[in-house]
Amino acid sequence: MLTIHAAPLVLPVGAAAVVDGAVAVDGDRIAAFGPYEEVVAAYPAARVRRWPGLLTPGLRQDRARELLTRCYHPDPRESDELGELPLRGEEFERLAATMDTARRAGSVRRGLQRMLRHGTTHLAGPLDAEDPALRTAVSRSGLVLVPPSPARSGPPDLDPFAAGGDLARTAGAPLTVGGRADLAVFDVPDESALYGGGPRPCVATVLAGRLVHRAR
């Protein structure tokens, strides 16, 4: 079914920003993007989803391997004991010493789900092809694997913008007609609000045309 995702601001990357813009998605591909009125006129029968804030390409997570293999993502049932944030360093090593395959696979799946909640649609490699839990979870997730990025120091973060890059650097791929429909929507007023220490809530993530995360 053809769907139009509309937002007060669309930032395609590589093309001019579109105020009161929209992206038409047909299956797993972008059919069109531009001013809302023009897109709706071209596809009058499409379902329309209206989002707050701004719509961007899906983002690239440069620290995927560390987040999935060197962090533990607690199950919600473990939140009283372990909290809700990824555990790394000594806390991870303590858990990893007694972690069985099923528990580790669950952590990897939850890590991928939490990446989607931050607008991630692309994972920078390399990922360990010999790790069956990692290989299976990533394959099933539908996330796009891309070549590795330059090494970065400091702890990994689920938020791709935490590394300090702007949207052009952090986007998985620009929005293009005929390209894969990987989108992220943030409830912020403009591009500058994506950077720095303020909140940048991701309200929706679209992966190959599928709405895989919706916060509201």
Side-chain angles (χ1 to χ4, degrees), residues 3-13 15-25 30 32-34 36 39 48-59 119 161 167 171 173-176 180-191 194 201-206 211:
T3 301
I4 292 173
H5 296 273
L9 183 62
V10 174
L11 301 176
V13 175
V18 184
V19 176
D20 192 18
V23 179
V25 174
I30 295 173
F33 68 87
Y36 173 77
V39 175
V48 176
R49 293 188 183 273
R50 285 192 170 272
W51 303 106
L54 55 86
L55 186 154
T56 75
L59 305 182
F161 287 116
L167 179 60
L175 301 184
T176 57
R180 198 174 115 136
D182 295 320
L183 316 173
V185 184
F186 297 89
D187 191 4
V188 296
D190 52 37
E191 183 178 352
L194 291 173
C202 178
V203 297
T205 304
V206 175
L211 183 63

Side-chain angles (χ1 to χ4, degrees), residues 47-99:
R47 174 179 57 185
V48 176
R49 293 188 183 273
R50 285 192 170 272
W51 303 106
L54 55 86
L55 186 154
T56 75
L59 305 182
R60 185 185 68 249
Q61 174 52 256
D62 289 339
R63 309 287 292 274
R65 186 175 186 279
E66 294 165 86
L67 284 165
L68 297 174
T69 67
R70 304 304 300 168
C71 294
Y72 179 73
H73 300 272
D75 188 294
R77 294 168 294 184
E78 301 173 309
S79 60
D80 289 343
E81 176 188 359
L82 301 177
E84 299 179 355
L85 299 177
L87 302 179
R88 56 186 179 82
E90 292 183 0
E91 291 179 301
F92 170 78
E93 297 297 343
R94 177 176 57 80
L95 286 170
T98 59
M99 199 182 304

